[in-house]
């Protein structure tokens, strides 16, 4: 690579690192046009396009590289993600299998392969590959770590024992895995959930006479500790056997009745809205992840034209401030989120809504 080309690429990389992704893509395009035969430049442009959501063009450029693809694992990662989002799941998984074959000791390749397998319903292999997550996460950020991460937990060994079921990821991840709590009990175990502080009251309603503890607290007297996301693997979950007892979360009846009285004066259907997740800026790819789950409240504003609906905010965090920016004459959003102290409060308000 010539000094001029190296300087051009360094400028693009600096713009990208400083958050000026759009300008970086423009400059990547210029450099790629000037050096059409350079695979490194072509791959850099394709990777930038994929990371900014230009899936169709990014995938097409990656496809065109073929055997000329530089030996950089992250390029295969973005290529596979783009393929999956374009509905080419088989190609995405094949791309990641090649990546794993070339870099078998790289945990990120196994971790991404797990995500793609799970997303396409290949749960048995997917959960086994997902055990590699323990080697992807910085040890300092782990709440706990299984002694044998790649060993599938066996519920047959839990009978008569006290099993700590601990959260390891975000609030939503904990919530969806709580559906397995009855299965752990059915296996004969005394199940003790260990969850984030904001979930303790909500989980307590489904825990019965079993204590619920706050994540990171020491819990004496447990015979085994199992991360919540190992439970689908432990019970051999398939698409046909996902624990589906609903509802498995229960809102407090008194709190729900309180909110029903508060909402009684709202006309029409009472519809709750939440529009953004909490951005995790410590996660390298959080901007890309957040684009798939968050939007601006203004995007939902056209719903105000639908008659017979009263909208109620369920949004917490920084994105909640967007409610104050709604234009006069636009969507009316009833907002009592200042009164929601934890997920049990939010569940009670949700249970009092129509949708």
């Amino acid at each position: 690579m010539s000094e001029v080309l190296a300087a051009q690429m360094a400028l693009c990389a600096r713009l990208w690192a400083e958050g000026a992704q759009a300008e970086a893509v423009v400059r990547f395009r210029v450099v790629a046009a000037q050096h059409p035969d350079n695979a490194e430049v072509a791959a850099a442009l394709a990777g930038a396009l994929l990371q900014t959501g230009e899936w169709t063009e990014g995938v097409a450029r990656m496809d065109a590289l073929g055997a000329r693809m530089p030996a950089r694992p992250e390029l295969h990662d973005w290529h596979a993600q783009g393929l999956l989002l374009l509905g080419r799941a088989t190609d995405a998984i094949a791309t990641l299998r090649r990546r794993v074959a070339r870099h078998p000791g790289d945990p990120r390749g196994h971790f991404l392969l797990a995500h793609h397998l799970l997303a396409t319903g290949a749960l048995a292999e997917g959960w086994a590959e997902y055990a590699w997550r323990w080697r992807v996460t910085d040890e300092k950020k782990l709440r706990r770590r299984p002694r044998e991460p790649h060993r599938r937990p066996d519920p047959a060994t839990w009978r008569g024992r006290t099993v700590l079921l601990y959260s390891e990821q975000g609030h939503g991840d904990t919530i969806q895995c709580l559906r397995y709590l009855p299965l752990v009990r059915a296996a004969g175990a005394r199940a003790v959930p260990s969850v984030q502080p904001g979930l303790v009251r909500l989980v307590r309603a489904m825990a019965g006479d079993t204590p619920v503890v706050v994540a990171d607290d020491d819990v004496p007297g447990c015979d085994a500790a199992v991360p919540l996301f190992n439970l689908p693997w432990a019970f051999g979950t398939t698409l046909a056997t996902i624990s589906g007892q609903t509802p498995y979360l229960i809102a407090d009846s008194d709190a729900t009745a309180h909110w029903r009285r508060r909402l009684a004066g709202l006309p029409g259907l009472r519809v709750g809205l939440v529009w953004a997740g909490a951005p995790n800026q410590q996660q390298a790819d959080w901007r890309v992840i957040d684009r798939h789950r968050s939007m601006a409240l203004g995007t939902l504003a056209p719903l105000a034209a639908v008659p017979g609906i009263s909208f109620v905010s369920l949004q917490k965090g920084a994105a909640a401030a967007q409610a104050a920016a709604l234009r006069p004459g636009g969507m009316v959003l009833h907002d009592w989120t200042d009164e929601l102290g934890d997920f049990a409060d939010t569940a009670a308000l949700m249970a009092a809504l129509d949708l």
Side-chain angles (χ1 to χ4, degrees):
M1 184 180 292
S2 69
E3 290 185 5
V4 172
L5 177 55
Q8 290 175 311
M9 294 295 284
L11 175 60
C12 293
R14 180 177 176 180
L15 288 168
W16 187 272
E18 292 176 349
Q21 278 85 9
E23 185 178 353
V25 168
V26 170
R27 292 186 178 272
F28 272 129
R29 288 189 185 279
V30 171
V31 179
Q34 293 173 345
H35 304 274
D37 297 325
N38 189 301
E40 287 283 351
V41 174
L45 172 58
L49 290 167
L50 289 170
Q51 292 176 74
T52 52
E54 298 292 336
W55 306 112
T56 301
E57 183 183 357
V59 165
R61 288 180 177 273
M62 286 286 190
D63 287 344
L65 280 166
R68 297 173 58 238
M69 180 82 74
R72 289 194 283 128
E74 71 275 10
L75 296 176
H76 298 278
D77 300 345
W78 287 111
H79 190 195
Q81 178 71 1
L83 288 166
L84 184 67
L85 289 168
L86 292 180
R88 295 170 56 186
T90 300
D91 293 336
I93 291 172
T95 295
L96 288 171
R97 289 196 190 282
R98 289 193 295 270
R99 184 219 201 275
V100 167
R102 292 168 184 162
H103 308 276
D106 184 350
R108 182 169 172 79
H110 292 275
F111 179 69
L112 292 173
L113 177 59
H115 273 275
H116 284 64
L117 290 167
L118 293 170
T120 55
L123 302 190
E125 184 184 2
W127 287 121
E129 288 286 346
Y130 196 54
W132 284 83
R133 69 192 183 278
W134 299 106
R135 292 182 56 188
V136 172
T137 306
D138 185 344
E139 288 282 350
K140 296 179 181 178
K141 297 178 182 178
L142 291 176
R143 292 190 177 97
R144 299 175 189 268
R145 187 177 190 275
R147 293 175 182 171
E148 299 177 274
H150 294 277
R151 183 176 179 177
R152 177 180 168 183
D154 183 5
T157 65
W158 298 346
R159 180 163 297 278
R161 307 178 74 196
T162 298
V163 179
L164 181 72
L165 305 173
Y166 61 90
S167 61
E168 50 170 297
Q169 301 185 35
H171 291 89
D173 301 300
T174 298
I175 287 170
Q176 65 175 313
C177 287
L178 289 172
R179 70 180 71 233
Y180 285 91
L181 191 54
L183 274 68
V184 177
R185 289 202 194 99
R190 179 175 180 265
V192 178
S194 172
V195 301
Q196 296 93 327
L199 286 171
V200 170
R201 284 204 307 137
L202 181 63
V203 178
R204 192 172 287 147
M206 68 179 298
D209 58 357
T210 304
V212 178
V213 297
V214 177
D216 298 329
D217 283 359
D218 290 332
V219 184
C222 288
D223 301 302
V226 180
L228 280 170
F229 254 119
N230 270 9
L231 293 178
W233 188 23
F235 287 103
T237 300
T238 67
L239 290 178
T241 64
I242 292 173
S243 180
Q245 178 183 342
T246 56
Y248 64 91
L249 294 175
I250 304 169
D252 180 80
S253 58
D254 290 339
T256 300
H258 163 78
W259 279 112
R260 288 202 173 107
R261 291 191 294 270
R262 294 279 298 275
L263 300 173
L266 298 184
L269 287 175
R270 293 168 291 246
V271 177
L273 293 180
V274 59
W275 53 91
N280 180 3
Q281 301 195 33
Q282 294 181 345
Q283 190 167 347
D285 304 329
W286 75 265
R287 289 186 184 88
V288 176
I289 294 170
D290 203 49
R291 273 203 298 272
H292 294 297
R293 65 175 186 170
S294 300
M295 65 179 76
L297 175 58
T299 306
L300 298 174
L303 294 176
V306 180
I309 295 178
S310 292
F311 290 106
V312 177
S313 177
L314 297 169
Q315 181 67 52
K316 297 289 283 184
Q322 296 174 23
L326 290 174
R327 291 177 297 181
M331 175 184 284
V332 175
L333 187 64
H334 303 277
D335 188 354
W336 291 283
T337 53
D338 286 346
E339 300 178 36
L340 305 180
D342 63 7
F343 281 89
D345 291 336
T346 300
L349 174 55
M350 291 176 68
L353 296 169
D354 297 305
L355 178 65

